[in-house]
Amino acid sequence: MENEHEPTTWTGSKMTRRKLLSSLGIVGAAVATGTSLGSQAFGATVTEQVYGPTMQPATAQSAAADAQTAAHTLIIDPAKWDIPTDGTNSRKTTDGLNAAIAAAKSGGFGEVYLPKGRYLIDAVSKTSHSPEIGGGIRVPSGMKLTMHPEAELKVEPNGSYGYSCIFLDNVHNVVISGGMVTGDRNEHDYSHKAKPTHEWGFGINVRGGYNITIDNVRIKDCTGDCIYVNAIGMINYGTVPYTPPQKVTIQNCTLDSSRRNNLSISACDGVVIRNNVILNAGIQTEAGPGLKTKIGPGFGIDIEGYGEGAIDYETPLNILIQGNWFRGNRVYSVCNFNGYGVAIEGNFSDNTLSYGNGTDTVIANNVLIRTDRQRTAIDGQKVSEGLEGNNVTIVGNTVKGFGSGVDIRGKDVVVAGNTISHLGEAGAGIAAYAAENVWIANNSVHRTKGTSYRVAGGKDIRLVNNKAHGSDKTAIEANASTQVVLSGNVIRNCSGGIRVTNISSEETGSEVVVEGNHIDLTEYKGKTSYAISFDQKSDVTLKGNRIPGPRNTAIYGEGGAGNRVKIVDNEIAEANSFTAMIQIVGGAKHEIVGNHVTFNKASNGGVGIYLKDAKDSIVARNTIYSNSEYALANSIATKESTGTKVLNNIAVKGAVSLNEKTDLNVGNTVV
């Protein structure tokens, strides 16, 4: 399961249990004295006596068969069961705890309570072909294991590549609550090289089963993962029926400092991960010279099934990740590498949330904050083989202080209503790379040193009604992309507006419509670039854009063989520059029609429309004039081009300078 594809370019207070129950309208019960040894207490369980009544399981109907059993609690007496509580004698401890739990089950108890103590656990299976299958503490169906807050299950240091401190094997209606589970990451012997990564050491191993809850458990320092959720068997392969875990809830837990991931899900149908603190996944371990200590992926949560090509052998399905707090995880906070139906909602994170190659993913209303302007806040990779698209929605997130904001890849992605700020110089607020069918709408990117929006190698991309404010680079860039529409965007206080290029692709030119945008660079304190620019390998339509107060050329382009340029109905107002407001160099058959260009300068000079080395273009129905007492050098200048049709333009306080040998001059008014 090790992931070798580690990125190379990355560089709230918790709600208390009492407050959570209160918010749900559940009234807590008074603390009462539980029973010990084998006596029974009817009514509230120990957990309910301490914390108040808990919510009913998600599968209340399936739990009904255990309702009578669940009313009885056994408080384990370590002395009676010959269980050490001082962290010694793992074999005696493990056997004693398992015997006590088994006796509770056979005696009709639905809950066991483990008192304060340090319990050394032999977590390595001696009977299975895989050491993580069958070892540790076994909790049967219809049982709740509740641990005192200072009850610690400590994995005995070992040299096995795998282990499970608590092993839940195809059980149902099980709750693990309270206490601590600690792996042997720092004491582990990594020298055994049969499987040198030693990445299958788990705090809690959930293998198959249904209606399982892990609540308020502190798990840390495992050689693999704090919690591993996985299936028995594979889909349509082998003789063992495929049995994924169903209806698993992981809530109010702290998952900390495991080597691989803090939580891995390779197969499931319905997992809720809510209100957990997830810290320091993928932490490095000094294991000794020549030993493999750095393993991947290093995710807080890794959703990663197994498949080959377009065939799935195990699938993570229907996962909700909500209200968690992620801090210090080495590579990602969450990666939906290839899951289906994943919602990542309302979390706090200081690292990446990724839809990976996943399908039907929602990343909504998360807060992502860093201070070093490194890494990417939200990203994706590509479409899983055999599928049409990712079908991803990224909405309502707040991003601050990362290197980049949102990195879109794959197909069928909507990015809407996100607020992104204070990014690094090399990154972009929202970028779509080699992506297709992408809608980017109503986002705000502000106070960032890099580009606000970028499209590269994309197809069918719409960037609509977004805002860019305070960028030290061009606000919107589109490179080597086709069927791109940039519409209704507002750009303010940036060094440049919109740039269309085809730098990296020789096969086809860029094809971009730039329509109805408002580009105001007047507040930018440094030197400004062009409001709109394009290169000779780009087909562009520039229509209905408004550019107030430009201090440089408002629209600049380079025409190329076979590329067409349409500049229609744009308004360039109150220009304060001696350069041309619309300038095209090279190319043929350009259309410059219906544009309104005004100047407001303190001296003579400036050009409205300027064509150089262009052929057979049309310049028609444009209005160019000076609002001040000063005249323009030229309203329209086509003298350095050939075959231009200059028709029905209005030029005030500026001459029309044409190529008298080749140009057509009809219906122009020069005042």
Side-chain angles (χ1 to χ4, degrees), residues 378-398:
I378 299 172
D379 79 4
Q381 296 183 22
K382 62 181 181 180
V383 179
S384 287
E385 291 188 51
L387 299 178
E388 294 181 337
N390 298 94
N391 192 29
V392 172
T393 300
I394 301 170
V395 59
N397 300 283
T398 299

Side-chain angles (χ1 to χ4, degrees), residues 299-314:
F299 301 160
I301 299 175
D302 181 19
I303 302 167
E304 183 175 351
Y306 172 63
E308 294 179 356
I311 301 173
D312 286 335
Y313 292 108
E314 54 180 2

Side-chain angles (χ1 to χ4, degrees), residues 272-403:
V272 175
I273 305 162
R274 180 182 288 138
N275 297 340
N276 303 283
V277 176
I278 301 176
L279 310 168
N280 306 316
I283 194 168
Q284 302 307 290
T285 302
E286 294 299 327
L291 303 181
K292 187 167 185 178
T293 62
K294 182 180 180 181
I295 61 172
F299 301 160
I301 299 175
D302 181 19
I303 302 167
E304 183 175 351
Y306 172 63
E308 294 179 356
I311 301 173
D312 286 335
Y313 292 108
E314 54 180 2
T315 55
L317 303 175
N318 305 322
I319 300 169
L320 173 63
I321 302 170
Q322 184 182 63
N324 303 282
W325 196 80
F326 296 90
R327 175 73 75 181
N329 300 291
R330 181 164 58 87
V331 178
Y332 284 152
S333 290
V334 180
C335 180
N336 178 20
F337 186 78
N338 56 8
Y340 300 83
V342 176
I344 306 169
E345 179 183 5
N347 304 281
F348 175 88
S349 173
D350 69 346
N351 209 337
T352 308
L353 305 177
S354 177
Y355 62 84
N357 313 297
T359 307
D360 301 332
T361 306
V362 175
I363 302 176
N365 302 320
N366 301 283
V367 176
L368 301 100
I369 297 179
R370 290 178 72 93
T371 58
D372 59 2
R373 303 197 183 204
Q374 299 292 319
R375 308 205 175 197
T376 301
I378 299 172
D379 79 4
Q381 296 183 22
K382 62 181 181 180
V383 179
S384 287
E385 291 188 51
L387 299 178
E388 294 181 337
N390 298 94
N391 192 29
V392 172
T393 300
I394 301 170
V395 59
N397 300 283
T398 299
V399 175
K400 182 178 180 181
F402 280 73

Side-chain angles (χ1 to χ4, degrees), residues 519-523 528 546-552 554 571-577 581 598 600:
I519 306 170
D520 183 353
L521 310 181
T522 57
E523 297 177 1
T528 59
R546 188 174 192 277
I547 306 169
R551 305 196 303 265
N552 200 338
E571 180 182 358
I572 303 169
E574 304 291 312
N576 185 16
S577 173
M581 287 299 99
T598 64
N600 188 3

Side-chain angles (χ1 to χ4, degrees), residues 371-596:
T371 58
D372 59 2
R373 303 197 183 204
Q374 299 292 319
R375 308 205 175 197
T376 301
I378 299 172
D379 79 4
Q381 296 183 22
K382 62 181 181 180
V383 179
S384 287
E385 291 188 51
L387 299 178
E388 294 181 337
N390 298 94
N391 192 29
V392 172
T393 300
I394 301 170
V395 59
N397 300 283
T398 299
V399 175
K400 182 178 180 181
F402 280 73
S404 292
V406 180
D407 183 334
I408 307 161
R409 305 184 187 226
K411 297 180 180 180
D412 308 343
V413 181
V414 173
V415 182
N418 301 283
T419 302
I420 301 168
S421 69
H422 300 85
L423 303 180
E425 182 176 358
I430 298 176
Y433 293 101
E436 185 174 340
N437 188 24
V438 176
W439 181 280
I440 303 170
N442 301 312
N443 302 282
S444 176
V445 179
H446 57 272
R447 303 196 188 286
T448 176
K449 294 182 177 296
T451 300
S452 299
Y453 303 89
R454 179 180 295 142
V455 178
K459 180 181 179 181
D460 190 11
I461 314 291
R462 293 185 66 90
L463 205 154
V464 180
N465 297 337
N466 300 281
K467 183 174 182 179
H469 183 278
S471 172
D472 288 334
K473 293 187 176 180
T474 301
I476 301 175
E477 295 180 351
N479 178 60
S481 300
T482 60
Q483 300 176 25
V484 176
V485 176
L486 312 176
S487 176
N489 301 289
V490 176
I491 299 171
R492 293 185 182 275
N493 193 22
C494 298
S495 69
I498 296 173
R499 183 170 178 246
V500 180
T501 58
N502 189 34
I503 298 171
S504 58
S505 175
E506 296 295 333
E507 296 180 1
T508 182
S510 288
E511 178 192 343
V512 180
V513 174
V514 182
E515 182 176 7
N517 301 282
H518 183 91
I519 306 170
D520 183 353
L521 310 181
T522 57
E523 297 177 1
Y524 189 75
K525 301 301 182 183
K527 184 179 179 181
T528 59
S529 182
Y530 308 124
I532 303 174
S533 65
F534 53 90
D535 70 2
Q536 60 184 348
K537 296 180 181 179
S538 300
D539 285 341
V540 296
T541 297
L542 314 180
K543 182 177 180 180
N545 301 286
R546 188 174 192 277
I547 306 169
R551 305 196 303 265
N552 200 338
T553 297
I555 299 174
Y556 176 84
E558 298 176 358
N563 293 102
R564 300 289 294 273
V565 175
K566 295 183 180 180
I567 303 175
V568 181
D569 296 335
N570 299 282
E571 180 182 358
I572 303 169
E574 304 291 312
N576 185 16
S577 173
F578 290 95
T579 63
M581 287 299 99
I582 300 175
Q583 179 176 344
I584 302 177
V585 178
K589 298 183 178 179
H590 309 311
E591 299 177 27
I592 305 172
V593 178
N595 300 284
H596 190 90

Side-chain angles (χ1 to χ4, degrees), residues 47-253:
T47 303
E48 290 169 338
Q49 292 166 3
V50 175
Y51 295 118
T54 57
M55 292 184 293
Q56 292 298 313
T59 56
Q61 205 168 25
S62 66
D66 298 302
Q68 182 176 357
T69 303
H72 311 290
T73 300
L74 169 70
I75 299 178
I76 295 174
D77 183 347
K80 175 180 174 61
W81 293 96
D82 197 20
I83 300 172
T85 60
D86 59 355
T88 61
N89 201 328
S90 66
R91 189 67 266 158
K92 183 185 289 187
T93 304
T94 306
D95 290 345
L97 286 174
N98 281 327
I101 294 170
K105 176 67 175 179
S106 63
F109 293 93
E111 179 177 14
V112 293
Y113 182 82
L114 184 62
K116 176 180 177 180
R118 195 167 199 248
Y119 303 91
L120 190 65
I121 304 302
D122 182 357
V124 180
S125 174
K126 309 302 189 296
T127 59
S128 172
H129 66 282
S130 297
E132 71 275 13
I133 297 177
I137 303 304
R138 307 289 295 270
V139 181
S141 295
M143 179 63 70
K144 181 173 185 178
L145 169 61
T146 301
M147 295 183 279
H148 184 280
E150 295 183 50
E152 179 185 16
L153 303 181
K154 175 68 175 74
V155 172
E156 181 181 35
N158 62 82
S160 175
Y161 64 81
Y163 58 76
S164 298
C165 187
I166 298 177
F167 183 55
L168 305 180
D169 189 24
N170 203 24
V171 296
H172 59 273
N173 302 329
V174 166
V175 177
I176 309 295
S177 178
M180 297 176 280
V181 175
T182 305
D184 70 330
R185 176 177 62 83
N186 292 318
E187 307 93 354
H188 191 82
D189 179 3
Y190 296 92
S191 64
H192 299 279
K193 296 186 177 180
K195 291 188 176 181
T197 60
H198 289 248
E199 63 181 291
W200 289 274
F202 308 124
I204 300 178
N205 185 351
V206 181
R207 184 171 179 261
Y210 66 90
N211 195 31
I212 296 166
T213 297
I214 303 170
D215 181 23
N216 196 31
V217 185
R218 291 167 285 166
I219 311 172
K220 64 178 182 178
D221 290 337
C222 297
T223 56
D225 309 322
C226 293
I227 300 174
Y228 182 35
V229 179
N230 62 112
I232 299 170
M234 292 186 180
I235 300 171
N236 298 321
Y237 181 84
T239 60
V240 178
Y242 177 66
T243 309
Q246 300 179 59
K247 297 181 175 63
V248 177
T249 300
I250 301 166
Q251 62 187 15
N252 306 317
C253 296

